[in-house]
Amino acid sequence: MLNKDLEKARAFYYGFFSKLFTFIDDVNRFEGVKEAAKILYQNAIEPNSKEALKHFIENFDEKKLVQEFDDIFYDLANDPVPTTASFYDEEIENGKMRVKMVDIVLASKFRKNEKFSDTEDDIGFILPFMHYLILEKINGDEKAAWLEEKTFDVLNTFIDDFIENVYMHTAANLYKDAAVVLKAFIETERMYLEKPKPNIEKVSKKIDIKTVQDEEARIRKAKKKKSEENLVCNLEEGGDVEDEV
């Protein structure tokens, strides 16, 4: 049986994180974040997140939050944190994870509009999409529950690396607190959905040693040939040596 109170609490958390990690072209996009943090502080999941929420509330400044967001996720000079599942999976954008998320979204009633500029596999889309699916489930959409689990499977593959990157970013202050709270929430989600942290085999760009050796040999051969050609050319340009003697 569906525990609606628990589902509403989960939806509230996803809504809170959506506010923090989804870019929307609206000067008031962080409106209500501090008030939501106060509610979460009163019902914190565990001590670390409670302490982080306390620091977040006491130091909350909307302008600084906007600046932190830009520095962490957009400032190219500041090593921006990657935000898509595809990047964490294949080190490329618009990879297999985006295809997977597009299929999930198309199977739902949800349709993107201009409000969402992020791709379907971006953390800025996945968090509000989870919020939407949980609310749909509460309203009786049985398929939403299935899609919610599929979406969490994608989120589960990269959320730990994402949280670590946000927490470690040099510009993070309030977002460091958000990372602590998000980490505690994801651990709770894993237990609730019975989906443990997956063992991810990273796709690394392996260097084919033989290919490198072949390429080096090709370059050496080309240099040698060019050197020989230059030598011939120089001799020809030098004319008849015997004439100069």
Side-chain angles (χ1 to χ4, degrees):
M1 180 179 289
L2 189 67
N3 185 331
K4 288 191 175 182
D5 289 338
L6 182 56
E7 296 296 340
K8 287 178 181 177
R10 293 180 62 224
F12 190 88
Y13 262 102
Y14 279 110
F16 175 69
F17 293 124
S18 297
K19 281 274 190 177
L20 288 171
F21 293 106
T22 303
F23 175 78
I24 296 175
D25 189 14
D26 183 346
V27 292
N28 298 316
R29 74 181 196 267
F30 290 125
E31 186 177 4
V33 168
K34 185 176 181 180
E35 289 70 23
K38 288 180 179 177
I39 294 172
L40 296 180
Y41 173 75
Q42 296 298 329
N43 303 276
I45 295 173
E46 45 82 63
N48 287 336
S49 58
K50 189 177 184 69
E51 189 64 27
L53 284 163
K54 181 182 178 184
H55 180 270
F56 184 89
I57 295 165
E58 291 176 348
N59 295 276
F60 185 85
D61 182 306
E62 197 162 327
K63 289 184 178 177
K64 288 183 179 178
L65 195 61
V66 171
Q67 187 61 54
E68 266 192 59
F69 183 94
D70 291 343
D71 289 344
I72 294 172
F73 299 111
Y74 288 107
D75 187 356
L76 295 178
N78 218 358
D79 195 14
V81 170
T83 57
T84 67
S86 288
F87 183 88
Y88 288 96
D89 182 43
E90 301 176 83
E91 296 185 10
I92 60 170
E93 300 295 351
N94 302 314
K96 290 181 292 186
M97 286 298 182
R98 185 178 183 192
V99 175
K100 186 177 291 187
M101 276 302 303
V102 168
D103 288 342
I104 294 171
V105 174
L106 290 177
S108 75
K109 299 174 183 175
F110 184 88
R111 291 295 178 267
K112 281 183 70 174
N113 57 33
E114 67 278 2
K115 182 180 177 182
F116 293 100
S117 58
D118 295 324
T119 59
E120 289 81 356
D121 66 332
D122 194 291
I123 189 81
F125 179 86
I126 291 176
L127 293 173
F129 187 59
M130 284 290 290
H131 173 82
Y132 164 83
L133 291 171
I134 293 170
L135 293 181
E136 284 293 293
K137 184 172 67 174
I138 293 173
N139 291 328
D141 184 350
E142 294 182 0
K143 191 176 182 182
W146 178 70
L147 294 172
E148 173 203 336
E149 294 208 15
K150 294 292 183 186
T151 304
F152 187 81
D153 286 340
V154 174
L155 180 66
N156 206 12
T157 62
F158 74 100
I159 190 64
D160 293 285
D161 289 338
F162 173 78
I163 290 171
E164 183 178 353
N165 287 338
V166 171
Y167 185 87
M168 296 299 293
H169 197 280
T170 54
N173 181 23
L174 293 172
Y175 271 92
K176 195 182 288 281
D177 299 324
V180 173
V181 181
L182 180 56
K183 180 177 176 58
F185 175 66
I186 290 297
E187 290 300 331
T188 304
E189 283 285 271
R190 283 174 173 152
M191 288 189 287
Y192 180 69
L193 298 172
E194 297 182 348
K195 292 181 178 294
K197 178 180 178 179
N199 292 319
I200 305 297
E201 185 176 345
K202 295 286 183 182
V203 176
S204 60
K205 295 179 179 177
K206 293 180 180 178
I207 299 174
D208 188 330
I209 301 300
K210 186 175 184 306
T211 300
V212 172
Q213 290 173 337
D214 290 347
E215 179 63 11
E216 288 177 346
R218 186 191 67 76
I219 293 172
R220 283 198 300 271
K221 186 176 180 181
K223 285 182 176 178
K224 183 180 179 182
K225 183 179 180 182
K226 187 175 182 180
S227 176
E228 291 172 349
E229 289 173 352
N230 289 338
L231 178 61
V232 171
C233 180
N234 290 336
L235 287 174
E236 289 176 345
E237 289 174 352
D240 192 337
V241 177
E242 292 181 354
D243 291 343
E244 295 181 4
V245 175

